[in-house]
Amino acid sequence: MSRPAWDWKLSDLVNVQQHGHTVFSCFACGGGSTMGYKRAGYRMLGNVEIDAQMMRIYRRNHNPPHPFLIPIQEFKGMPNSELPAELFDLDILDGSPPCSVFSTAGAREDKWGGEYAFREGQAVQQLDDLFFDFLDVADKLRPRVIMAENVKGMLIGKARGFVSLVLSRMRRMGYRPQLFLLNSATMGVPQKRERVFFIASRQDMSFPELRLEFNEPPILYRDVRSGIGSPITSGSKTLQRWYKKRPPDLNMGDVTGREEGKISNFNTILIKDQKVANTLASSSVFLRDDVPQHISDTDIIRMQTFPSDYDFMDADVQYVCGMSVPPVMMQRIAEQIYLQWFKAK
């Protein structure tokens, strides 16, 4: 009996049939997208990453031929003669520009146009400009396909104007963009993670319209649950609230709203055995619903479809996973791009 897609190891990649099409990744973080492409038979040429810790982890697990530990603004400004020639014959340029300013949590519009450090130790950047820095790289390298992933919040409210600007820029660059809202729970991932994907093909490639329809059966939390999670801190408000929860409660915001007359701690999620797990965010807290424990690191790795032999080195497992695209999610998309576009060409 074959193993489920979420149960795998990096060492399994040696058995994947290669078709030779190439990918280069920006904002690569832990390499969730990279692993998805590799599972789909692509050759990863390298990455651009600003975070030194993430780059160490990326190099340890993926051994990229051409890694660039620099801000994307510096990368796009490098002379073409200083870049590997194969980057100018690229099949897919992949990127997940940091998306916190488009999150539906908080007063997101107030953040637009401001400069922030994405996390402690990183350079301060204007985060909503990074998408256009990524498109500048695409215009420089001229890949056959541009793939950009971002949060569902881009399709809500005023952010839709930003989406229109992105699509217009892609068209001016000579690409035909398509926009997809996909849920990882329908793609063999044990997690409800909705993400927007901008997929654009270069006009001279004459590719047909890409069709992405996924209907895999849901994978419940009980299917991936493993080990004993760390206990909720004794005497803490979180533990007190956990004992006051009721069966319909989905997060601690439900508890505080009912018990304390205020909604807070909605990012403390109650994970239930009989349901698909919520989106694995790097900053959320995930508690088991039936015992006063956090979910285990193994749960996190499986929910995100990371390989069981991934070396997280000195980084927090939830941070690396939460900041990455689930490999199986990207694999499903990358397979269809190959089948519908590259193989059929």
Side-chain angles (χ1 to χ4, degrees):
M1 183 176 179
S2 61
R3 291 179 294 168
W6 52 261
D7 181 15
W8 71 289
K9 295 181 178 181
L10 282 170
S11 56
D12 296 337
L13 293 174
V14 299
N15 300 317
V16 174
Q17 184 174 353
Q18 303 293 303
H19 48 63
H21 291 280
T22 57
V23 184
F24 185 78
S25 185
C26 302
F27 314 105
C29 198
S33 290
T34 291
M35 291 182 283
Y37 287 113
K38 286 184 175 182
R39 284 174 58 107
Y42 290 78
R43 185 166 65 93
M44 179 56 63
L45 297 182
N47 68 314
V48 177
E49 175 59 54
I50 192 176
D51 189 311
Q53 183 190 42
M54 291 301 104
M55 181 60 96
R56 288 196 302 272
I57 296 169
Y58 190 95
R59 295 182 73 161
R60 172 71 64 89
N61 289 279
H62 310 305
N63 191 29
H66 306 297
F68 292 86
L69 178 59
I70 54 176
I72 194 167
Q73 297 88 348
E74 288 186 23
F75 180 81
K76 75 178 187 181
M78 291 179 64
N80 290 357
S81 60
E82 295 181 10
L83 293 175
E86 57 188 340
L87 295 190
F88 295 93
D89 187 28
L90 190 62
D91 288 308
I92 300 178
L93 178 68
D94 166 80
S96 296
C99 52
S100 60
V101 292
F102 301 110
S103 170
T104 54
R108 62 189 189 142
E109 282 86 353
D110 294 342
K111 300 178 183 178
W112 295 354
E115 292 190 336
Y116 303 92
F118 197 57
R119 70 169 179 146
E120 185 178 357
Q122 281 194 10
V124 172
Q125 302 179 90
Q126 190 164 314
L127 299 186
D128 40 332
D129 278 353
L130 293 178
F131 209 118
F132 293 99
D133 291 325
F134 170 71
L135 293 180
D136 288 342
V137 172
D139 208 14
K140 178 187 184 76
L141 301 181
R142 306 296 299 172
R144 294 170 183 85
V145 173
I146 303 169
M147 163 83 80
E149 176 262 356
N150 221 293
V151 293
K152 179 184 177 181
M154 291 193 80
L155 302 181
I156 298 172
K158 295 179 181 179
R160 287 178 295 184
F162 184 92
V163 171
S164 295
L165 292 175
V166 170
L167 296 175
S168 296
R169 173 71 192 284
M170 287 179 164
R171 293 187 186 102
R172 290 198 305 272
M173 289 165 50
Y175 285 81
R176 290 188 304 273
Q178 291 181 246
L179 195 61
F180 299 90
L181 176 62
L182 301 174
N183 189 333
S184 66
T186 67
M187 303 168 73
V189 177
Q191 176 192 159
K192 293 181 291 187
R193 190 184 195 95
E194 288 187 292
R195 286 295 184 267
V196 172
F197 290 86
F198 297 78
I199 305 177
S201 62
R202 208 172 62 203
Q203 287 182 356
D204 65 313
M205 298 307 298
S206 301
F207 290 143
E209 183 174 294
L210 186 67
R211 300 181 63 86
L212 296 179
E213 298 175 356
F214 303 101
N215 296 289
E216 296 192 36
I219 302 170
L220 308 181
Y221 174 58
R222 67 186 178 210
D223 298 326
V224 298
R225 178 171 174 165
S226 178
I228 298 173
S230 61
I232 301 174
T233 303
S234 177
S236 67
K237 279 191 175 181
T238 299
L239 185 60
Q240 295 169 19
R241 289 165 177 162
W242 188 90
Y243 279 112
K244 292 179 181 179
K245 64 181 174 55
R246 296 177 183 173
D249 293 337
L250 300 176
N251 56 64
M252 286 304 180
D254 294 335
V255 179
T256 60
R258 182 183 63 249
E259 302 290 334
E260 302 171 24
K262 60 181 180 180
I263 298 177
S264 63
N265 289 70
F266 59 87
N267 277 336
T268 300
I269 312 298
L270 295 166
I271 302 293
K272 303 174 186 289
D273 269 358
Q274 70 277 19
K275 293 183 177 293
V276 179
N278 296 59
T279 299
L280 185 68
S282 60
S283 57
S284 295
V285 176
F286 298 91
L287 306 176
R288 289 174 169 170
D289 185 67
D290 57 345
V291 288
Q293 299 173 359
H294 297 261
I295 64 175
S296 69
D297 281 352
T298 299
D299 291 346
I300 292 170
I301 291 167
R302 290 177 172 180
M303 286 161 53
Q304 195 68 6
T305 67
F306 263 51
S308 59
D309 58 348
Y310 188 93
D311 187 352
F312 290 89
M313 300 178 71
D314 56 345
D316 178 73
V317 170
Q318 184 175 328
Y319 180 81
V320 176
C321 288
M323 294 297 293
S324 302
V325 180
V328 169
M329 187 179 201
M330 185 56 78
Q331 175 191 354
R332 298 291 186 256
I333 300 169
E335 287 171 340
Q336 291 305 311
I337 290 175
Y338 169 68
L339 291 172
Q340 296 182 42
W341 284 355
F342 296 136
K343 186 178 181 180
K345 185 67 176 177

